[in-house]
Amino acid sequence: MTRILIRIQYDGSGFNGYQKQLNGRTVQDALERALSVIHKANSWPCTSSGRTDTAVHGLNQAVHFDTPLSISMERWPMALNSVLPDDVQVLQAMTVPAGFHARYDTVGKVYRYRIYTTGSRDVFRRHYAHHVKGNLDPVRIQKAAAHLEGTHDFTSMTSAKTEVVDKVRTLFRVQVEQNGDDLELVFVGSGFLYQMVRVLTGTLLKIGSGEWEPAIIPQIIARKDRIAAGPTAPGNGLYLEDVFYDEESLQAYLRELDEPAGGRT
Amino acid sequence: MTRILIRIQYDGSGFNGYQKQLNGRTVQDALERALSVIHKANSWPCTSSGRTDTAVHGLNQAVHFDTPLSISMERWPMALNSVLPDDVQVLQAMTVPAGFHARYDTVGKVYRYRIYTTGSRDVFRRHYAHHVKGNLDPVRIQKAAAHLEGTHDFTSMTSAKTEVVDKVRTLFRVQVEQNGDDLELVFVGSGFLYQMVRVLTGTLLKIGSGEWEPAIIPQIIARKDRIAAGPTAPGNGLYLEDVFYDEESLQAYLRELDEPAGGRT
């Protein structure tokens, strides 16, 4: 058996999230069905870096699976894409050691939340960005974001339904980017709790609109109660942008964030 | 009763076309339901400039209806948008004379077909542009396009199922535009037959890929047989961009097309 790590992209608008479940169409279902077709098996399991919620998109999600087939790494994406639905696509495949694990071996993840405030809502963006009425002040959001960086107990910033016991996570960077008319919130962290990015975003929006002050962040964290934070922002503006398995790639990404926006691709 | 002309935008991906029908969700259904809510009636009819097919988008579609209500033209879009689903939006409303007709009074329409050839298919564009494998030569397409301009019997370029008897139409302009990595085909005409823009596009793609020569166009037109033309391109890349009711607006649009792409908005 060879263990293979694939990178995938998916449009979350037609899925009930990544993780397979009793009802509804999921990304994992689509992948496992494609893998079972290629392996001529009834089912074929795969393991992702973590789930994403309903409506949330994946730009470079990471998934591993084992295979006895001797398909080349160049041909794997094509083979899988030929049987995948048109809203999931394999970008790349690489062999990894048998002990590699897509979830446990991550050293960092990047989420990006897209917001637009200009004009009225755009029917073509309804699945791809969150429309906010009124102005948002990026300077206020960046001030608040600085309070989020570091290692904290994020109990206030995750769904009250989270079953994970240890709610301490490290945010390496929370950055506000102006991308044309869009405001994008970039979250780089060691790992994220259930709905954490959406609660962080809902909270930062309260600050960007002027309703709350940036200095409220340390108070919210200290409360360790979900009720202290802002609302959960909708899933449609959220993208799992990248997943890192080595420190160098993570550091390279963080250095890229430091460059002026025009210099990045 | 006041006759009102509204301009609407819709994402065609969730609709079985514009025109109401026995089965499936349509844009007209959505509009008439919204109008009936506002008028507190069981139904409320409206008339568009023409139907669009399944998956085809509307950027500035025109629709008229009559109303006894005294809502201001500024408030009509907001009133309708508050009850419309999130994939249709009213952009603007204006009063028109009682004799105005959204379909019969058009002096021209613009359709735009979006194509991308770069890389592999993009899951986020599957509803919004047509992916073509391999290169397309815009110079060949523009040469062929010149043969399409003018007044012709477009029997070869419409669905064989078309029930309209008179298949003579005038294409004022067929233009190829490079928009970043996208190739866009712009069709400005007096009116269009059923599936005409999609057959024109399918034919131009055969020429752009090098399979057919630009000079084949006059032969295809002369044949007056649907079988002579290329395949019907999929609906997802197609946008009804604009509908004109006065000669000046149409001429202004055509002049804009003559300006270098950088100069236009």
Side-chain angles (χ1 to χ4, degrees), chain A residues 9-14 57-59 81-82 84-89 91 120-124 126-128 239, chain B residues 9-14 57-59 81-82 84-89 91 120-124 126-128 239:
Chain A
Q9 192 168 78
Y10 50 89
D11 177 336
S13 61
H57 311 291
L59 296 180
N81 289 334
S82 69
L84 278 167
D86 67 358
D87 46 356
V88 193
Q89 196 188 19
L91 304 172
S120 53
R121 71 192 162 85
D122 177 345
V123 296
F124 295 102
R126 72 193 190 287
H127 295 310
Y128 307 108
Y239 296 73
Chain B
Q9 190 168 79
Y10 50 89
D11 177 337
S13 62
H57 311 291
L59 296 181
N81 290 334
S82 70
L84 278 167
D86 67 358
D87 46 357
V88 193
Q89 196 187 19
L91 305 172
S120 52
R121 70 192 163 84
D122 176 344
V123 297
F124 295 103
R126 72 195 190 287
H127 295 311
Y128 308 107
Y239 295 74

Side-chain angles (χ1 to χ4, degrees), chain A residues 158-164 167 194-195:
Chain A
T158 180
S159 164
K161 287 181 276 180
T162 310
E163 287 167 14
V164 178
K167 289 169 184 156
Y194 182 46
Q195 296 191 341

Side-chain angles (χ1 to χ4, degrees), chain A:
Chain A
M1 290 290 236
T2 309
R3 182 153 290 189
I4 294 179
L5 172 68
I6 55 172
R7 294 295 187 149
I8 65 167
Q9 192 168 78
Y10 50 89
D11 177 336
S13 61
F15 291 107
N16 283 28
Y18 177 87
Q19 190 169 273
K20 69 179 168 189
Q21 52 182 48
L22 285 178
N23 295 303
R25 183 174 179 260
T26 72
V27 180
Q28 187 179 1
D29 285 329
L31 277 177
E32 295 194 348
R33 201 166 306 127
L35 286 166
S36 67
V37 169
I38 286 176
H39 290 95
K40 299 183 172 68
N42 286 328
S43 67
W44 204 267
C46 64
T47 304
S48 76
S49 74
R51 69 185 180 181
T52 51
D53 288 348
T54 296
V56 176
H57 311 291
L59 296 180
N60 203 27
Q61 166 73 295
V63 176
H64 83 249
F65 62 91
D66 292 319
T67 186
L69 301 177
S70 59
I71 298 174
S72 73
M73 291 309 117
E74 289 70 36
R75 285 191 50 226
W76 265 110
M78 202 169 48
L80 284 164
N81 289 334
S82 69
V83 286
L84 278 167
D86 67 358
D87 46 356
V88 193
Q89 196 188 19
V90 176
L91 304 172
Q92 199 195 338
M94 59 185 287
T95 51
V96 283
F100 174 89
H101 196 284
R103 182 149 141 235
Y104 302 134
D105 290 355
T106 57
V107 297
K109 280 189 182 183
V110 184
Y111 279 96
R112 186 174 291 260
Y113 199 99
R114 288 200 180 132
I115 298 152
Y116 69 109
T117 56
T118 45
S120 53
R121 71 192 162 85
D122 177 345
V123 296
F124 295 102
R125 304 198 71 187
R126 72 193 190 287
H127 295 310
Y128 307 108
H130 176 43
H131 184 229
V132 172
K133 284 179 191 171
N135 291 321
L136 293 173
D137 180 349
V139 176
R140 289 174 65 89
I141 298 178
Q142 193 59 69
K143 273 186 192 161
H147 291 295
L148 289 168
E149 292 179 358
T151 302
H152 307 287
D153 181 322
F154 283 100
T155 302
S156 297
M157 307 290 213
T158 180
S159 164
K161 287 181 276 180
T162 310
E163 287 167 14
V164 178
V165 178
D166 178 12
K167 289 169 184 156
V168 174
R169 295 290 182 279
T170 299
L171 287 181
F172 304 122
R173 192 75 61 85
V174 180
Q175 187 156 313
V176 184
E177 296 188 355
Q178 193 87 39
N179 194 343
D181 284 336
D182 291 3
L183 203 65
E184 301 190 346
L185 307 180
V186 186
F187 301 89
V188 189
S190 61
F192 293 86
L193 296 160
Y194 182 46
Q195 296 191 341
M196 178 172 156
V197 182
R198 293 166 57 192
V199 178
L200 290 170
T201 300
T203 305
L204 292 174
L205 289 176
K206 283 263 189 198
I207 293 162
S209 69
E211 208 175 325
W212 290 356
E213 291 304 313
I216 201 176
I217 294 286
Q219 300 167 39
I220 292 173
I221 293 173
R223 283 276 295 281
K224 295 188 189 172
D225 186 348
R226 169 69 187 86
I227 211 157
T232 307
N236 61 349
L238 184 56
Y239 296 73
L240 170 57
E241 179 174 310
D242 216 341
V243 183
F244 299 108
Y245 293 100
D246 63 277
E247 202 57 43
E248 295 94 301
S249 306
L250 172 62
Q251 293 307 324
Y253 185 88
L254 290 169
R255 278 195 304 275
E256 245 183 44
L257 282 183
D258 290 332
E259 290 171 27
R264 291 190 292 115
T265 48

Side-chain angles (χ1 to χ4, degrees), chain B residues 51 158-164 167 194-195 226:
Chain B
R51 67 184 181 184
T158 180
S159 164
K161 287 181 276 178
T162 310
E163 286 166 14
V164 179
K167 288 169 185 157
Y194 182 46
Q195 294 190 343
R226 169 68 187 86

Side-chain angles (χ1 to χ4, degrees), chain B residues 38-57:
Chain B
I38 287 177
H39 290 94
K40 298 184 173 67
N42 286 327
S43 67
W44 204 268
C46 64
T47 304
S48 75
S49 73
R51 67 184 181 184
T52 52
D53 288 348
T54 297
V56 176
H57 311 291

Side-chain angles (χ1 to χ4, degrees), chain B residues 20-55:
Chain B
K20 70 179 166 189
Q21 51 182 48
L22 285 178
N23 295 304
R25 185 174 177 258
T26 72
V27 179
Q28 187 179 1
D29 285 329
L31 277 178
E32 295 194 348
R33 202 166 305 127
L35 285 166
S36 68
V37 169
I38 287 177
H39 290 94
K40 298 184 173 67
N42 286 327
S43 67
W44 204 268
C46 64
T47 304
S48 75
S49 73
R51 67 184 181 184
T52 52
D53 288 348
T54 297

Side-chain angles (χ1 to χ4, degrees), chain B residues 229-250:
Chain B
T232 307
N236 61 349
L238 184 56
Y239 295 74
L240 171 56
E241 180 174 307
D242 215 341
V243 183
F244 299 109
Y245 293 99
D246 62 277
E247 201 58 42
E248 295 93 302
S249 305
L250 172 61

